[in-house]
Every structure is written in C-alpha cells, then in structure tokens.
Amino acid sequence: MTNGASDNFGILDASTSGSREGGPSFAVRHRVLRLAWGITWTLLAAWTPAPLHRWRAFLLRLFGARLAQNARVHGSARIWYPPHLVMEENTLIGRGAIIYSIAPVHIGRGAVISQGAHLCTGSHDIDDAAFQLTAQPITVGADAWIAAEAFVGPGVFIGEGAVLGARGVAFGDLAAWTVHVGNPARPIRARLTSS
C-alpha cells in the first residue's frame, strides 16, 4: 500500500519502514514533536486541577491545536497529536478521554466528549502483508455528545446533536439529532431539544 503525500498524515510506508518488525510508523520530526508533547503534558498539565482549563488550552495551542477561547480539556485526557485537534466554542474533552489523532479530529461547537471516551482515527490494513497503518479523520458535529467510555472509529461523522450512549461503539456515521446505543451503535430514538 502506498500512501499519497497529501493524505497520509505523516504515516510511513510500512513495507519500507519495517514498522511490523519494530520500525517506525512516522518520520523522525513527527516522533520528536510527539515526544516533546508527551513530556510537556505530563509535567505541566496531566496533574492540574479541573479549573485550569485555560492553562491546558494554552499548552495545546503551543503544540499546534486549534481551540476556541472557551474550549476545555481535562488534565487526564490524552491528546495523541495536537496539530490534528480542532475544538470550536464551548466544547469539552472529559477526564480520561483519549483522542488518538493520527488524522484530524474536529469537535463542533457545544459538543461534549465525556470521561473515558475514545476517538480513534487510526487502524491497520489487515489485508496488507506489512500491516500498513491507516488513518481517517473524525468529525463530531455541533451539540453532539459522546457519552462515557464510548468509542468512535476512523472516518466516522457524528451528526449535529447526535448522541452516542455510554460504551457505545460507532464505526459508521451517526444521524443528526438521534440517540444511538450499543455495539455496534444503532439508533433508538430522536433527540428532543427545547428551543
């Protein structure tokens, strides 16, 4: 499998990098940035109390994330690669959430990623002998809610106002203003809102 330079998100070709045998999946520059980011977050943010959202947002921006002024990220959350994170106004990434941002993750206005949720943009080509790492962006629409310990897979689009219930698993797009539960996630009802 050969990834085009414009859409591979810095992923190396596994057939030449030998990633399946312990070789790198990303270029040195990418790995150095992630190392610096991991050290910075561990020393300066991971232990900080909840009210210090502005400080953590500052650190994320310093490493390339694009966050609205009032975007909030808890210290125990794990952001894999900040340059791929976009958070619009009044968004939240809760305690212990994992944002595995090999590819871009866009969190729309008013959306909530609850505690322990996992947004995973990466996978592997299981039919490739080199087990090539692959990645696809995730978009969480405005006012959507990814509930506690839910999982969102690569390439998924969460519609505006959609809900993925606790421990739900989404490998396909979720319709706007609909509540989804289970593994795999299935719609159970419309989400009612007061205007």
Side-chain angles (χ1 to χ4, degrees):
M1 173 178 173
T2 304
N3 291 318
S6 63
D7 62 359
N8 72 352
F9 309 113
I11 299 169
L12 298 175
D13 185 336
S15 65
T16 56
S17 71
S19 59
R20 187 160 186 170
E21 292 80 33
S25 294
F26 294 89
V28 171
R29 183 172 182 260
H30 195 282
R31 287 180 280 151
V32 168
L33 187 143
R34 281 196 345 262
L35 176 64
W37 164 245
I39 292 168
T40 300
W41 190 257
T42 300
L43 294 178
L44 301 177
W47 55 272
T48 58
L52 292 182
H53 290 296
R54 287 185 182 186
W55 169 247
R56 291 186 295 272
F58 165 77
L59 293 174
L60 280 158
R61 287 186 195 101
L62 187 66
F63 278 83
R66 288 164 290 163
L67 277 60
Q69 264 323 98
N70 62 353
R72 296 166 291 146
V73 178
H74 281 271
S76 60
R78 295 292 170 255
I79 313 300
W80 191 80
Y81 188 66
H84 284 168
L85 179 63
V86 175
M87 295 177 69
E88 294 183 12
E89 298 81 17
N90 198 31
T91 52
L92 171 70
I93 295 176
R95 291 179 177 86
I98 299 169
I99 310 301
Y100 190 44
S101 51
I102 292 176
V105 173
H106 187 115
I107 302 172
R109 174 193 42 79
V112 173
I113 312 301
S114 285
Q115 66 273 17
H118 188 159
L119 276 56
C120 179
T121 63
S123 188
H124 289 272
D125 182 349
I126 61 171
D127 296 318
D128 178 26
F131 204 49
Q132 178 65 49
L133 179 63
T134 62
Q136 293 178 294
I138 291 173
T139 300
V140 179
D143 298 313
W145 177 29
I146 308 302
E149 298 182 4
F151 180 91
V152 178
V156 172
F157 181 87
I158 307 292
E160 178 181 2
V163 174
L164 178 58
R167 295 195 172 179
V169 176
F171 278 104
D173 296 350
L174 302 188
W177 299 103
T178 304
V179 178
H180 304 78
V181 298
N183 180 5
R186 65 191 186 290
I188 58 167
R189 69 173 179 88
R191 180 181 181 188
L192 307 175
T193 61
S194 56
S195 315

